[in-house]
Amino acid sequence: MSLQSHPLIADWITARDGRLLIHTGKVDIGQRISTALIQIAHEELTVPYERIDVAPVCTGHAPDEGITSGSNSIEQSGHALRCAALSLRDQVILLAAARNGGEIADWQLKDGVLHLNGTNHRIDIIDLIPDVPSDTPVDQDRLPTPRGQSTLPRPEMRGLKDMVQGSFVYVHDLDRPGMLHARIIRPPHARAVLRDVDAKTLKTLNGLGLSIIRDGSFLALAGPQEWPVIKAATTLFAACDWDLRDGLPEIDVFDELRARNAQRFLVIDATPTTEDIPKPDPDPDHAARFERPYQLHGSLAPSAALAQWTGQKLILHSHSQGIYPLRESIADGLDLSLEQVEITHVPGSGCYGHTGADDAAFEACLIAMALPETPILLKWTREDEHGWEPCAPAMAVDLAATVADGKITAYSAEVFSDTHRGRPRPGPDRTGPSRLLANHFRADPIGPNAAMPNLGRHAGMHRNLDPVYAFPKTRLVKNLVSDLPHRTSAMRCLGAAANIFALESFMDEIARQHSVPPLAFRQSQLDDPRALAVLVELERQIEMRPSLADGCGRGISYAQYKNQMTRVGVFVELAVNDRAEISLLDAIIVADAGRIIDENGLTAQLEGGFLQAASWALYEQVKWDRDGIQSRDWENYPVIRFDNVPNIDVTLLDQADAASLGAGEASPGPTIAAIANAVFDATGIRLRRMPFTPEAIMQRAATG
């Protein structure tokens, strides 16, 4: 995708002030993509790390690579950059030979300098780059430079030193002359409507030098000092008269996740179709239902954005993961041309998925349009983020299987969920702006629109619904359920987290019922040599462990993200005490991500995915009643804490001659399942609904 849209070397690599400048449309959200890209450029051009920069990701300047999502950054931007670097290397060698003589093969590249064998000719390739014609295309068929096991020096994570020293600038830290701080006055819940605001309070706040912005039920205020604005926001909320209507529906969402409420699609080769859905086996050997509640991203800092309307151009700084789609949606929502909107990515709190970043960006724009020539820094509060970001959808997965001769011969999986596709991407019926929260509350509202089924391969809720195992017969069904209580969108792994949790728990359950070791049961139904190599290494490490202590359990799982990206085997050892509290003790992750670029970054991604999934598995769920979201702080929406972080050992199986594979979302699904399987090993209790709280364990124990 990336090279098709941006086929020139200059789209990806240029030189500036004696330094190599990398261009990318993928933003760094803590996954270290910028560090990995520096390493790719170094591998192919040998330029020292300290002479390589990454250009800011800004609309109109950076390549348009869509949204940084789906673990695609290395496969898309990394591949494009590598091909561009190899093509550039060819071009500068041609230039050097044309100017200084010698055969092409006699020019050697080391430390970013070309040497002509047998002479004293030395040419810095950065000096030659400006002479490469700007319309020179990338050779898209180039293969990476061969190498053995990774022995290259590793660059320091870009920006890490500044982060540790507290000098790194996040979007929340931006400051501009004449800047105003802003806050949004939220309704009690998503279905409430603003009827009126007390006029006396408005007059008082205006007298304090604060600006009030209202557009229907969208209400905000801005002022020169942040703390007075925060206090005034509380005052202004108290002055509002809200029509609460019927409130949020108080329903059992899992009861709603049924075929009777769904648009249904038969999934073939990981892709939804309109083929007739075969009836399920009326008498399978094994059947179970697995469930995931609504969950939040849990970013440690809330969303923020800085916007300024010059009268002609809207200049925005945002930590959005998709600045180009966001630009189109903002332009559409504000009746501006694309050229009138410029967005620069500035890091915020690290996150995978659709948080409040896009919504905060648009809200900052609305305020900036009302206050021209004035920079507006809008920060969401913790209550804003927890109460108003899109949730990860609640999900249910119904599984059934028939077993013969110790193997699964027929497998059925039906997944039920609301949409995972709520990002503000452009589309028909003003889809982009309809997905920006503030547009729902303006006097002339846009959206929300009904969710449309995502029919892409391994997309949305059916990601990893197609089992990675060689089952002879499968029946896979996607069920899109609408009109549920909350706005939903993408969170790390999309449907893969629940689908892998279900499949890998089910595999464990069936293996134990047939008295087959869980790891051997998996190995017997895999035909991928690299998958088997992952499990062989996982088994080797498990066998080296000491005997299991009383009250402890062990669980394993395996998955390959989208059945085509990183292969991951996970082992978990945990303890369950008399109060049914789970303590994570040790974890092993074995992964094959193809050719390794940034070993430290890859390890960090796998560890981070484990920890986020452990938090989902043990603690996280959104609670609400008719009056609104209750999970608006860390007490009411607990996440994993340092005291329950296990020892994690990561082993990477480098495939130096293979393609690099996306890994950012590879470990969460198998982590959840490994934890569930370990709980069963420790207690004999099979948990099929997240989170695995003490209350859930005791209730399951009481009901059998």
Side-chain angles (χ1 to χ4, degrees):
M1 178 192 80
S2 298
L3 278 174
Q4 280 66 43
S5 301
H6 302 278
L8 306 179
I9 293 174
D11 292 333
W12 303 97
I13 307 174
T14 57
R16 182 181 65 187
D17 300 329
R19 301 177 64 79
L20 193 72
L21 188 63
I22 294 170
H23 302 269
T24 176
K26 298 295 185 180
V27 301
D28 206 318
I29 51 175
Q31 86 281 36
R32 294 171 52 123
I33 181 59
S34 56
T35 304
L37 293 178
I38 288 173
Q39 182 142 348
I40 289 172
H42 169 76
E43 285 185 7
E44 305 301 352
L45 297 172
T46 74
V47 175
Y49 298 128
E50 61 270 16
R51 297 186 64 197
I52 304 175
D53 294 327
V54 180
V57 184
C58 177
T59 56
H61 301 279
D64 180 357
E65 295 191 88
I67 294 175
T68 305
S69 63
S71 295
N72 290 316
S73 293
I74 287 291
E75 294 195 44
Q76 293 176 357
S77 208
H79 172 71
L81 178 65
R82 189 181 294 280
C83 290
L86 288 162
S87 303
L88 178 62
R89 186 172 69 185
D90 292 344
Q91 293 297 316
V92 294
I93 291 175
L94 286 171
L95 281 173
R99 294 176 182 180
N100 298 279
E103 298 296 325
I104 297 297
D106 292 334
W107 285 92
Q108 303 299 314
L109 182 59
K110 183 179 179 181
D111 297 331
V113 177
L114 285 167
H115 306 253
L116 179 59
N117 291 339
T119 75
N120 62 357
H121 286 307
R122 302 287 187 272
I123 306 173
D124 191 325
I125 66 168
I126 292 177
D127 294 336
L128 291 175
I129 291 174
D131 296 332
V132 176
S134 59
D135 60 351
T136 304
V138 172
D139 180 352
Q140 301 188 20
D141 296 324
R142 289 298 304 268
L143 297 175
T145 301
R147 63 171 168 82
Q149 294 296 106
S150 295
T151 57
L152 291 169
R154 301 167 186 159
E156 178 184 274
M157 176 179 170
R158 189 166 174 262
L160 179 60
K161 185 178 295 184
D162 290 337
M163 293 177 191
V164 172
Q165 294 175 345
S167 58
F168 191 87
V169 177
Y170 296 92
V171 65
H172 309 71
D173 304 318
L174 296 177
D175 197 4
R176 299 289 187 271
M179 185 180 80
L180 299 183
H181 295 270
R183 291 293 188 275
I184 307 298
I185 314 305
R186 307 282 178 193
H189 56 71
R191 305 191 181 195
V193 175
L194 181 59
R195 285 190 290 229
D196 199 8
V197 184
D198 178 64
K200 184 177 179 181
T201 301
L202 292 176
K203 182 177 180 180
T204 299
L205 295 176
N206 284 324
L208 296 174
L210 300 172
S211 299
I212 313 295
I213 299 92
R214 181 180 177 184
D215 181 354
S217 293
F218 174 78
L219 185 64
L221 78 165
Q225 294 180 300
E226 188 171 13
W227 180 238
V229 168
I230 293 171
K231 292 192 294 183
T234 302
T235 301
L236 187 54
F237 176 79
C240 293
D241 177 19
W242 300 98
D243 179 359
L244 300 180
R245 299 186 172 182
D246 294 328
L248 297 183
E250 296 180 283
I251 60 172
D252 179 349
V253 69
F254 296 111
D255 186 56
E256 295 297 312
L257 295 174
R258 304 285 181 183
R260 65 178 184 267
N261 301 321
Q263 298 180 62
R264 310 184 74 214
F265 303 88
L266 183 67
V267 177
I268 300 175
D269 188 25
T271 306
T273 71
T274 56
E275 299 287 331
D276 290 341
I277 299 172
K279 292 183 179 180
D281 183 345
D283 189 27
D285 295 329
H286 304 274
R289 180 177 172 94
F290 298 85
E291 296 168 334
R292 178 185 187 175
Y294 289 107
Q295 293 178 322
L296 300 176
H297 298 83
S299 297
L300 294 183
S303 298
L306 176 71
Q308 183 174 0
W309 170 243
T310 68
Q312 296 295 323
K313 191 170 187 177
L314 188 58
I315 301 170
L316 175 64
H317 294 77
S318 168
H319 56 119
S320 169
Q321 291 176 226
I323 60 173
Y324 276 100
L326 179 61
R327 178 177 70 160
E328 290 191 55
S329 296
I330 288 176
D332 185 359
L334 297 177
D335 296 321
L336 300 173
S337 68
L338 286 180
E339 292 71 26
Q340 288 181 284
V341 181
E342 178 182 280
I343 307 178
T344 299
H345 179 268
V346 180
S349 187
C351 175
Y352 278 94
H354 184 190
T355 63
D358 295 318
D359 295 317
F362 182 62
E363 290 169 348
C365 291
L366 287 175
I367 300 168
M369 296 284 285
L371 302 170
E373 303 290 352
T374 306
I376 302 295
L377 179 62
L378 170 66
K379 296 178 187 176
W380 277 24
T381 64
R382 172 54 51 201
E383 186 173 350
D384 286 338
E385 194 73 40
H386 274 29
W388 293 94
E389 70 162 40
C391 300
M395 292 183 64
V397 188
D398 287 339
L399 301 184
T402 299
V403 177
D405 298 325
K407 292 185 179 182
I408 292 176
T409 57
Y411 175 79
S412 173
E414 290 211 37
V415 60
F416 301 82
S417 174
D418 201 340
T419 184
H420 294 248
R421 199 179 189 181
R423 293 185 189 269
R425 300 174 188 262
D429 299 321
R430 306 187 78 184
T431 297
S434 78
R435 291 174 172 172
L436 292 168
L437 179 65
N439 275 328
H440 304 172
F441 296 99
R442 296 171 69 189
D444 187 11
I446 307 172
N449 295 346
M452 300 299 293
N454 188 338
L455 303 180
R457 190 171 191 276
H458 273 296
M461 78 175 77
H462 60 279
R463 182 164 293 175
N464 279 96
L465 184 67
D466 201 351
V468 73
Y469 299 99
F471 299 150
K473 181 180 178 181
T474 59
R475 174 186 176 273
L476 311 172
V477 183
K478 171 191 179 93
N479 293 271
L480 176 62
V481 181
S482 303
D483 299 321
L484 294 174
H486 306 302
R487 184 172 70 124
T488 60
S489 190
M491 189 158 75
R492 192 177 201 167
C493 308
L494 305 186
N499 288 324
I500 294 170
F501 158 52
L503 170 58
E504 287 299 300
S505 297
F506 201 48
M507 291 290 286
D508 191 80
E509 190 169 342
I510 295 172
R512 290 174 182 273
Q513 289 184 20
H514 288 263
S515 301
V516 180
L519 201 149
F521 186 66
R522 289 166 170 80
Q523 290 171 320
S524 70
Q525 294 170 98
L526 284 167
D527 54 14
D528 171 18
R530 288 169 65 176
L532 291 168
V534 166
L535 291 181
V536 166
E537 175 59 24
L538 186 67
E539 185 174 30
R540 185 189 71 81
Q541 295 193 35
I542 293 171
E543 289 175 347
M544 295 171 59
R545 297 188 60 80
S547 300
L548 196 62
D550 291 342
C552 295
R554 291 173 174 171
I556 63 105
S557 63
Y558 172 77
Q560 183 181 12
Y561 189 56
K562 301 182 189 176
N563 292 4
Q564 63 192 26
M565 291 188 171
T566 296
R567 300 162 174 86
V568 176
V570 176
F571 163 87
V572 169
E573 184 170 322
L574 53 75
V576 183
N577 65 20
D578 292 340
R579 296 184 297 278
E581 297 166 332
I582 297 172
S583 297
L584 302 177
L585 304 176
D586 293 289
I588 299 171
I589 300 173
V590 178
D592 174 353
R595 178 178 172 130
I596 297 173
I597 305 301
D598 174 12
E599 183 175 337
N600 290 339
L602 175 56
T603 300
Q605 285 300 288
L606 294 167
E607 291 175 342
F610 180 99
L611 291 176
Q612 185 170 25
S615 190
W616 295 339
L618 301 182
Y619 301 101
E620 298 185 39
Q621 62 179 323
V622 174
K623 298 180 180 179
W624 76 96
D625 59 20
R626 70 187 307 274
D627 296 324
I629 299 287
Q630 297 173 337
S631 307
R632 294 187 178 231
D633 52 39
W634 296 120
E635 181 177 352
N636 292 298
Y637 189 83
V639 296
I640 195 168
R641 303 289 179 146
F642 286 110
D643 62 1
N644 204 13
V645 172
N647 301 309
I648 305 175
D649 291 322
V650 177
T651 298
L652 304 176
L653 305 182
D654 190 14
Q655 305 287 345
D657 297 326
S660 300
L661 302 173
E665 296 165 288
S667 59
T671 294
I672 301 168
I675 292 172
N677 295 338
V679 171
F680 179 84
D681 191 50
T683 65
I685 297 170
R686 179 63 64 182
L687 299 173
R688 299 193 182 100
R689 177 186 291 182
M690 293 186 273
F692 313 145
T693 62
E695 294 77 16
I697 294 173
M698 289 188 285
Q699 182 179 14
R700 184 78 174 127
T703 58

